[in-house]
Amino acid sequence: MDLVLVLDKSGSMYGLTSQVKAFASELVSQFELRSTLTRVAVVEFSSSARTLIGLSGSASEVGSAISGLSSAGGWTSISSGLETGSRLIAAGGRPCSGENCVVFLLTDGQQSSQYGGSNAAVVSANAVKAQDITVFAVGFGTAQKGTLDAMASSPASQYSYLGTSLADIRAHFQAFCQLVSSPQPPPLP
C-alpha cells in the first residue's frame, strides 16, 4: 500500500504542530513499513504544498520527515496538498486498485477563497479519486462536514470524519491500519 499523509499547516493550525506530529506518527506506527509492503509519504500544505518525504518504506526516514513538519502559517490550499499527494503516488510506480493507494487529508478548516474555496478543493479531490486513489478527508475546527464528505471516497461514512478536536481524531483513528486493510463490501447500487 502507498499512503500519503496530507497535513494542514496553515495559520489556523498555530499551536497544534506538536499534536499533528504525534497523530501522524501514531498513524504511521500502525503499519509495517517496507518498500515491498507499505510506503508512506508526507506532504504539508498552507498557501502551497511541500513534500517532506516521498514514498518511503523506512520508518526512521518517515519519522524524521514528520518531525520536520513546519510551524503553522499561511492560507489554506487543500488543492495543492491533494495534487502533490496524487503526484507522489503516481511517481511511486505502483498501480492503484482497491485501497492500495491512499491519501489521508487532515485539515482544520476550508480552502481559502483565493484558491477557489471549497468547490475547488472538491474538484481536486475528485481528480485524485479518478486515479483510483482512496481519499480520507478528516477535519476539525471550522472544517465543514459537507465539504469533507464531498472530498472523501465513497461511502463518506467510512472515508470522511469531522472530529470535535485533534484529540478526538486521534482516538477515532487508533485502528486506521485495520480500516484500510480490511476488505470492505462494495457500495450499494
Side-chain angles (χ1 to χ4, degrees):
M1 178 179 79
D2 287 341
L3 168 64
V4 181
L5 302 180
V6 177
L7 307 173
D8 188 344
K9 63 145 222 138
S10 62
S12 57
M13 295 288 284
Y14 182 79
L16 297 172
T17 304
S18 62
Q19 291 180 56
V20 172
K21 289 177 183 181
F23 173 62
S25 295
E26 289 168 7
L27 282 182
V28 171
S29 72
Q30 295 178 38
F31 297 91
E32 182 179 346
L33 271 61
R34 284 194 307 214
S35 61
T36 58
L37 193 59
T38 300
R39 300 182 299 179
V40 175
V42 182
V43 172
E44 64 179 10
F45 70 91
S46 57
S47 302
S48 61
R50 182 171 78 105
T51 301
L52 299 178
I53 188 169
L55 290 168
S56 172
S58 167
S60 63
E61 289 177 4
V62 172
S64 293
I66 291 169
S67 294
L69 186 66
S70 301
S71 298
W75 298 101
T76 306
S77 177
I78 293 170
S79 292
S80 66
L82 291 171
E83 291 161 5
T84 300
S86 173
R87 282 193 299 272
L88 290 172
I89 287 176
R94 287 186 185 166
C96 292
S97 62
E99 290 182 343
N100 290 337
C101 301
V102 176
V103 167
F104 187 100
L105 168 70
L106 176 67
T107 184
D108 77 332
Q110 300 205 57
Q111 180 148 299
S112 301
S113 59
Q114 64 264 45
Y115 305 117
S118 296
N119 290 338
V122 171
V123 168
S124 293
N126 287 338
V128 172
K129 293 183 288 188
Q131 299 171 54
D132 287 327
I133 298 171
T134 300
V135 175
F136 281 83
V138 179
F140 64 103
T142 62
Q144 300 294 308
K145 180 153 178 45
T147 303
L148 294 172
D149 288 353
M151 288 190 296
S153 292
S154 185
S157 60
Q158 179 176 338
Y159 298 107
S160 172
Y161 184 72
L162 177 61
T164 57
S165 65
L166 197 47
D168 178 41
I169 290 169
R170 287 172 74 177
H172 182 81
F173 286 99
Q174 286 181 334
F176 179 63
C177 180
Q178 292 173 330
L179 184 62
V180 296
S181 61
S182 297
Q184 302 299 321
L188 297 174

